Amino acid sequence: MPEINTEDLDEQQVQLLAEMCILIDENDNRIGSDTKKNCHLNQNIDKGLLHRAFSVFLFNTENKLLLQQRSDAKITFPDCFTNTCCSHPLSNPLELEENNAIGIRRAAQRRLKAELGIPLEQVTPEELLYITRIHYKARSNGIWGEHEIDYILFVQKNVTLNPDPNEIKSYCYVTQEELRELLEKASRNEIKITPWFKLIAETFLFKWWDNLNNLKRFIEHDKIHRM
């Protein structure tokens, strides 16, 4: 495999490329682990390399959704607007635990703190509702991309924010109407949004949003939506 030059990339983000992601087959069965770097190279994705991920949708008590704009330092999909938090569980005992996706939910709590500065006690793993999974693939540029089975997690709470500027360029709470306007801007290429957020917003998000007090009826733990 030719060596990928990372000299021009952000130093903090390059360090994160050494993290160990969880490798899975197309049915989300664990088959091993590999570095974040190898999991996000298009040359490996094209050979079928697939890893676990999660997407958190955090709403405040006014039913507004917290969005973030990924920083320019991010290696995949920099400067893109996306849902509250998107990342990967790591291949360690705490985050490998699969019972009711508790490992995934622990990873989400960790990344909510790392990216948005949300104190650990403000969003616990038990408060994150695991709804379903989506399987998608997307290129960020000629070198980097994503190929994930993405666990969708919802939570409604008022939280304290202190974002890491290396992770997040901006953030905002939006109403449904404001999100529709944002999606419309993205369709005109006036702003950029992440491909997974676009897929989720176009297929499921508004239905779930309308039912924040009754989300359990949408739980589909036995299904993986192929997108």
Side-chain angles (χ1 to χ4, degrees), residues 45-64:
I45 291 169
D46 290 342
K47 295 172 186 170
L49 206 64
L50 176 63
H51 64 280
R52 265 189 201 143
F54 61 82
S55 286
V56 177
F57 292 77
L58 183 147
F59 300 81
N60 65 15
T61 52
E62 297 176 351
N63 288 352
K64 292 183 177 180

Side-chain angles (χ1 to χ4, degrees), residues 28-72:
D28 195 23
N29 298 304
R30 183 161 57 94
I31 57 173
S33 61
D34 207 338
T35 62
K36 181 180 175 186
K37 177 182 177 181
N38 284 339
C39 287
H40 291 82
L41 288 170
N42 288 327
Q43 62 192 26
N44 295 332
I45 291 169
D46 290 342
K47 295 172 186 170
L49 206 64
L50 176 63
H51 64 280
R52 265 189 201 143
F54 61 82
S55 286
V56 177
F57 292 77
L58 183 147
F59 300 81
N60 65 15
T61 52
E62 297 176 351
N63 288 352
K64 292 183 177 180
L65 172 62
L66 178 59
L67 301 185
Q68 63 156 284
Q69 183 183 17
R70 292 162 68 87
S71 79
D72 294 332

Side-chain angles (χ1 to χ4, degrees), residues 84-133:
T84 312
C85 181
C86 331
S87 192
H88 319 95
L90 301 181
S91 186
N92 64 46
L94 274 179
E95 296 182 13
L96 282 167
E97 192 174 335
E98 295 181 351
N99 184 34
N100 198 22
I102 186 62
I104 298 277
R105 292 184 284 131
R106 287 172 182 147
Q109 179 196 39
R110 171 177 58 82
R111 289 303 298 176
L112 287 167
K113 173 75 165 66
E115 293 183 22
L116 290 149
I118 299 173
L120 294 175
E121 66 274 12
Q122 286 192 10
V123 179
T124 65
E126 293 71 26
E127 291 173 300
L128 290 158
L129 180 67
Y130 160 41
I131 297 179
T132 192
R133 293 168 287 178

Side-chain angles (χ1 to χ4, degrees), residues 33-221:
S33 61
D34 207 338
T35 62
K36 181 180 175 186
K37 177 182 177 181
N38 284 339
C39 287
H40 291 82
L41 288 170
N42 288 327
Q43 62 192 26
N44 295 332
I45 291 169
D46 290 342
K47 295 172 186 170
L49 206 64
L50 176 63
H51 64 280
R52 265 189 201 143
F54 61 82
S55 286
V56 177
F57 292 77
L58 183 147
F59 300 81
N60 65 15
T61 52
E62 297 176 351
N63 288 352
K64 292 183 177 180
L65 172 62
L66 178 59
L67 301 185
Q68 63 156 284
Q69 183 183 17
R70 292 162 68 87
S71 79
D72 294 332
K74 298 291 281 185
I75 293 169
T76 57
F77 304 100
D79 194 40
C80 288
F81 284 89
T82 195
N83 51 285
T84 312
C85 181
C86 331
S87 192
H88 319 95
L90 301 181
S91 186
N92 64 46
L94 274 179
E95 296 182 13
L96 282 167
E97 192 174 335
E98 295 181 351
N99 184 34
N100 198 22
I102 186 62
I104 298 277
R105 292 184 284 131
R106 287 172 182 147
Q109 179 196 39
R110 171 177 58 82
R111 289 303 298 176
L112 287 167
K113 173 75 165 66
E115 293 183 22
L116 290 149
I118 299 173
L120 294 175
E121 66 274 12
Q122 286 192 10
V123 179
T124 65
E126 293 71 26
E127 291 173 300
L128 290 158
L129 180 67
Y130 160 41
I131 297 179
T132 192
R133 293 168 287 178
I134 69 166
H135 177 188
Y136 78 96
K137 185 191 295 188
R139 286 177 178 261
S140 177
N141 58 23
I143 298 171
W144 304 98
E146 294 281 6
H147 187 207
E148 305 177 331
I149 289 182
D150 193 19
Y151 284 65
I152 310 302
L153 306 173
F154 267 53
V155 63
Q156 185 167 22
K157 285 200 88 176
N158 292 333
V159 294
T160 307
L161 299 172
N162 182 24
D164 178 354
N166 189 261
E167 293 284 343
I168 293 176
K169 187 174 185 175
S170 69
Y171 67 92
C172 57
Y173 282 94
V174 296
T175 63
Q176 289 197 26
E177 187 54 40
E178 287 165 339
L179 179 56
R180 291 185 197 279
E181 291 170 9
L182 197 80
L183 295 169
E184 189 61 35
K185 283 185 179 178
S187 73
R188 298 193 298 265
N189 295 317
E190 294 174 17
I191 60 163
K192 296 186 291 183
I193 61 173
T194 60
W196 62 86
F197 183 47
K198 182 175 187 288
L199 287 168
I200 295 165
E202 289 176 350
T203 50
F204 304 114
L205 179 56
F206 292 100
K207 173 180 67 177
W208 292 335
W209 200 335
D210 285 335
N211 291 275
L212 286 179
N213 296 320
N214 192 23
L215 281 170
K216 290 190 175 173
R217 68 192 182 100
F218 295 102
I219 287 174
E220 296 178 299
H221 291 178

